[in-house]
């Protein structure tokens, strides 16, 4: 049946099957009405069949509170298809499995002629995810992805049973979410003059402005669309580093006593930027106002505050920052960053939310309720889990989707080391050496699509797929330890069915044999990362 991600258990029922046709009714038990609406719309588009409400032979959706919320059972026999989930989310994941069972054409948006026979093979599936946080991050700051592209990615995540979309909404090069109180964030901070083609060393520029942002209504639509798919959208407002676009819009946010922040523009370079936020009361108040609007838009329990790559040079030179260090009795600039993060940790906690940040927030002491996105390898995540903090594992060496997918000159984004499909399949979110109690703090993992060199959704597709399929299986299934994983079996399922599903979905993945001619990008300068990828 070539399911991706593979279910925990799958028993074929010999000789049985059910054909979905114009007589098939769709019955939605209490709590499954939203899933039924989604299924009727998705399968209705692909098949042209109406799937009217009704009992009897057909598709039956139900909630059974005895199962875990995201777990489901799917049973197919001659009478029909029964999908029972612990909650609506479980039913939704079961429905995703049903769609896979129907074959690649079930992913089309209009029926093919002549009409297909929609035969569901007889099967009994028991399934549940390994992790509660199965995420992807889209960097919509470096290259803006218009709303339609984000909605499409939500569909792609849902098809792979991924349930978190982390939106990296702000960075030095662009601010992408409308904040009503501070319109210049998007009017000024949303546009940079030009873009490097390639990484830092590149001497090529595209010589045209780049920008765009989501209105608050766009965000509401994205969040609602995600919720219909049982996906949580986690917003990231990156502070106190990666903030040049905000400082360009409102120069008073920067370290005005050491740099002429009024002269700054949204950054046109890549890398780590020295222009970080100042630590005045006014800057804190500004960001409280920003976060207040963000909380109104995003119901996510977690709010990401970035915290990565914040150079401390300006704070070292700034009398105002040094006064803050003295006044708070802090040891150094690392503790100043920690103080900054703690401020927002407390502020979010008072509003019933939890702070999550990149693993640099561990430096100088981690705020009590904070969770960590462990990106510089496993070490930050291990330290955080040992200290009792929740961790989302996203070590760059395994699951940064901007790392190239193979050696060789044809890969379009020549960044860092090659991380193949097999490498991602052998990614293990829970590192060795954690006790079971510590390991429970690893609440999941995510794959991050940084977009410095992904200047269109087509390139994001190429870099994300098929590796995101392997990632989805890692976070959903209970795979054996990395060395024992059946990568050949996974690759065979991809070949037999899943590339066909991606084709029907219009995903421009990296073909197993390497990039197509148009997917190569010769002449774009990249930068290898230092040192080999670390072992777990
Ligand atoms: C990061 O990659 N700077 C989180």
């Amino acid at each position: 049946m070539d399911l991706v991600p593979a279910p925990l258990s799958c028993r074929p029922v010999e000789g049985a099957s059910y054909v979905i046709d114009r007589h098939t009714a769709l019955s939605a038990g209490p709590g499954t009405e939203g899933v039924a609406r989604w299924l009727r719309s998705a399968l209705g588009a692909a098949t042209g069949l109406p799937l009217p409400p009704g009992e009897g032979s057909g598709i039956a959706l139900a909630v059974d509170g005895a199962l875990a919320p995201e777990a489901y059972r799917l049973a197919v026999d001659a009478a029909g298809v029964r999908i029972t989930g612990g909650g609506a989310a479980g039913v939704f994941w079961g429905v995703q499995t049903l769609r896979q069972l129907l074959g690649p054409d079930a992913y089309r948006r209009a029926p093919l002629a002549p009409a297909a026979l929609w035969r569901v093979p007889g099967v009994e599936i028991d399934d549940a995810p390994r992790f509660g946080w199965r995420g992807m991050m889209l960097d919509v700051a470096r290259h803006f992805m218009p709303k339609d592209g984000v909605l499409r990615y939500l569909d792609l995540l849902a098809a792979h049973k991924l349930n978190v979309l982390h939106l990296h909404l702000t960075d030095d090069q662009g601010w992408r979410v409308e904040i009503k109180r501070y319109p210049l964030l998007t009017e000024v901070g949303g546009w940079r003059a030009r873009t490097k083609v390639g990484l830092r060393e590149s001497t090529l520029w595209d010589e045209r402005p780049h920008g765009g942002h989501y209105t608050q209504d766009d965000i509401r639509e994205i969040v609602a669309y995600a919720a219909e798919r049982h996906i949580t959208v986690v917003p990231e407002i990156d502070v106190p580093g990666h903030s040049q676009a905000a400082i360009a819009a409102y120069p008073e946010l920067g370290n005005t006593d050491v740099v002429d922040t009024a002269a700054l523009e949204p950054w046109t370079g890549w890398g780590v930027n020295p222009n970080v936020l100042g630590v005045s009361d006014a800057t804190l108040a500004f960001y409280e106002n920003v976060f207040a609007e963000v909380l109104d838009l995003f119901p996510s329990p977690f709010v990401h505050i970035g915290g990565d790559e914040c150079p401390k040079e300006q704070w070292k030179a700034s009398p105002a920052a040094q006064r803050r260090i003295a006044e708070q009795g802090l040891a150094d600039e690392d503790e100043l960053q920690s103080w900054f993060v703690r401020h927002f940790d407390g502020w979010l906690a008072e509003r019933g939310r939890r702070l999550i940040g990149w693993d640099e927030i561990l430096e100088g002491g981690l705020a009590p309720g904070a969770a960590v996105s462990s990106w510089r390898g496993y070490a930050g995540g291990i330290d955080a889990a040992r200290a009792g903090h929740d961790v989302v594992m996203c070590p760059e060496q395994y699951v940064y989707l901007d790392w190239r997918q193979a050696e060789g000159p044809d890969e379009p984004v020549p960044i860092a080391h090659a991380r193949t499909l097999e490498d991602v399949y052998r990614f293990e979110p829970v590192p060795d050496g954690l006790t079971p109690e510590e390991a429970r703090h690893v609440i999941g993992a995510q794959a991050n699509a940084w977009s410095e060199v992904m200047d269109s959704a087509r390139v994001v597709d190429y870099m994300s797929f098929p590796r995101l399929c392997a990632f989805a299986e890692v976070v959903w299934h209970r795979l054996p330890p990395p060395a024992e994983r059946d990568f050949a079996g996974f690759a065979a399922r991809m070949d037999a069915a899943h590339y066909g599903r991606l084709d029907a979905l219009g995903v421009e993945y990296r073909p197993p044999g390497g990039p197509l001619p148009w997917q190569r990008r010769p002449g774009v300068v990249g930068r290898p990362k230092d040192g080999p990828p670390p072992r777990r």
Side-chain angles (χ1 to χ4, degrees):
M1 289 165 208
D2 302 314
L3 299 169
V4 175
L8 282 190
S9 112
C10 179
R11 294 174 299 281
V13 180
E14 291 306 325
S17 66
Y18 176 75
V19 174
I20 298 177
D21 61 20
R22 64 198 167 79
H23 304 295
T24 299
L26 173 57
S27 114
T32 70
E33 298 83 358
V35 184
R37 207 164 40 245
W38 183 90
L39 179 62
R40 190 169 284 122
S41 135
L43 275 197
T47 65
L49 298 171
L51 300 176
E55 307 294 326
S57 160
I59 304 171
L61 309 181
V63 168
D64 174 357
L67 298 174
E70 288 198 287
Y72 71 91
R73 287 210 177 105
L74 186 153
V76 181
D77 57 24
V81 179
R82 287 180 309 286
I83 299 173
T84 309
V91 180
F92 185 74
W93 305 132
V95 156
Q96 298 311 311
T97 299
L98 170 62
R99 198 184 191 192
Q100 293 206 355
L101 291 171
L102 286 167
D105 286 344
Y107 288 86
R108 295 188 185 279
R109 294 194 208 174
L112 291 178
L117 185 65
W118 300 102
R119 183 182 295 283
V120 197
V123 74
E124 284 175 7
I125 291 174
D126 277 300
D127 204 7
R130 178 175 176 199
F131 293 107
W133 184 302
R134 307 181 300 280
M136 180 190 194
M137 189 209 76
L138 285 176
D139 170 9
V140 295
R142 270 52 173 274
H143 279 98
F144 181 55
M145 180 183 274
K147 176 185 77 174
D148 193 50
V150 177
L151 298 177
R152 175 175 171 272
Y153 259 82
L154 287 166
D155 282 332
L156 297 177
L157 298 189
H160 292 86
K161 302 187 173 80
L162 296 171
N163 69 346
V164 173
L165 175 65
H166 168 172
L167 279 183
H168 182 75
L169 287 165
T170 70
D171 214 303
D172 298 305
Q173 299 86 356
W175 184 286
R176 305 282 174 237
V177 55
E178 177 188 23
I179 301 295
K180 300 263 191 214
R181 188 168 178 143
Y182 302 120
L184 299 184
L185 285 172
T186 44
E187 279 172 34
V188 173
W191 290 92
R192 64 174 173 267
R194 59 180 190 162
T195 299
K196 270 203 172 186
V197 182
L199 276 169
R200 281 181 238 174
E201 293 77 359
S202 174
T203 52
L204 302 174
W205 298 83
D206 66 0
E207 300 302 350
R208 61 180 177 191
H210 177 87
H213 71 272
Y214 310 111
T215 66
Q216 295 205 345
D217 278 344
D218 291 341
I219 294 287
R220 286 190 193 94
E221 183 184 0
I222 287 169
V223 167
Y225 194 85
E228 282 177 352
R229 285 151 186 77
H230 297 275
I231 296 171
T232 301
V233 185
V234 176
E236 179 185 350
I237 303 292
D238 203 345
V239 291
H242 287 286
S243 295
Q244 182 162 320
I247 299 168
Y250 293 95
E252 64 272 25
L253 297 174
N255 291 288
T256 50
D257 53 353
V258 286
V259 259
D260 176 13
T261 54
L264 293 176
E265 294 180 341
W267 200 24
T268 54
W270 304 131
V272 178
N273 184 307
N275 293 304
V276 306
L277 295 179
V279 290
S280 67
D281 290 341
T283 296
L284 293 181
F286 181 101
Y287 273 90
E288 286 176 6
N289 292 332
V290 168
F291 278 114
E293 293 193 31
V294 167
L295 296 196
D296 280 347
L297 293 170
F298 294 91
S300 164
F302 281 100
V303 174
H304 207 293
I305 56 90
D308 57 323
E309 298 176 322
C310 177
K312 307 293 186 308
E313 279 66 33
Q314 290 187 357
W315 289 352
K316 284 188 179 137
S318 155
Q322 292 303 316
R323 273 197 305 279
R324 183 69 91 179
I325 287 176
E327 161 212 309
Q328 294 293 325
L330 305 171
D332 56 18
E333 292 73 23
D334 282 343
E335 287 199 4
L336 184 58
Q337 161 142 356
S338 187
W339 169 85
F340 191 98
V341 171
R342 274 171 204 266
H343 175 84
F344 286 101
D345 183 57
W347 189 90
L348 287 169
E350 280 166 22
R351 286 154 185 81
R353 306 294 184 100
R354 288 183 63 193
L355 177 146
I356 182 165
W358 302 110
D359 56 57
E360 287 93 332
I361 68 171
L362 286 158
E363 292 158 14
L366 189 50
V372 168
S373 305
S374 187
W375 75 275
R376 294 177 298 178
Y378 286 97
I382 291 171
D383 288 350
R386 290 202 168 129
H389 294 274
D390 286 343
V391 175
V392 174
M393 278 294 178
C394 47
E396 57 176 348
Q397 300 83 358
Y398 285 89
V399 287
Y400 264 33
L401 297 171
D402 54 343
W403 288 39
R404 65 186 193 267
Q405 306 191 64
E407 302 292 356
D410 287 342
E411 288 305 314
V413 185
I415 182 172
H417 299 276
R419 294 284 85 190
T420 64
L421 181 62
E422 179 164 356
D423 292 328
V424 174
Y425 196 68
R426 297 192 194 283
F427 162 58
E428 171 48 46
V430 179
D432 295 335
L434 292 184
T435 65
E437 173 57 28
E438 290 161 355
R440 270 196 286 282
H441 284 294
V442 179
I443 57 175
Q446 66 181 41
N448 295 339
W450 295 101
S451 68
E452 286 95 330
V453 277
M454 298 190 204
D455 56 1
S456 76
R458 302 186 80 175
V459 184
V460 178
D461 270 16
Y462 178 90
M463 296 307 287
S464 302
F465 289 95
R467 291 186 295 188
L468 201 62
C469 310
F471 175 80
E473 188 147 307
V474 167
V475 288
W476 179 275
H477 198 85
R478 284 160 207 279
L479 291 172
E484 294 161 35
R485 291 182 188 171
D486 178 14
F487 175 69
F490 169 77
R493 275 182 280 129
M494 292 295 296
D495 287 340
H498 205 70
Y499 285 118
R501 295 179 191 124
L502 297 180
D503 285 331
L505 280 162
V507 176
E508 297 188 283
Y509 54 84
R510 180 185 189 276
L516 301 171
W518 73 266
Q519 291 172 321
R520 298 180 196 146
R521 306 183 99 202
V524 177
V525 176
R527 173 177 58 97
K529 289 235 176 180
D530 298 334
R535 303 238 157 265
R536 270 196 309 138

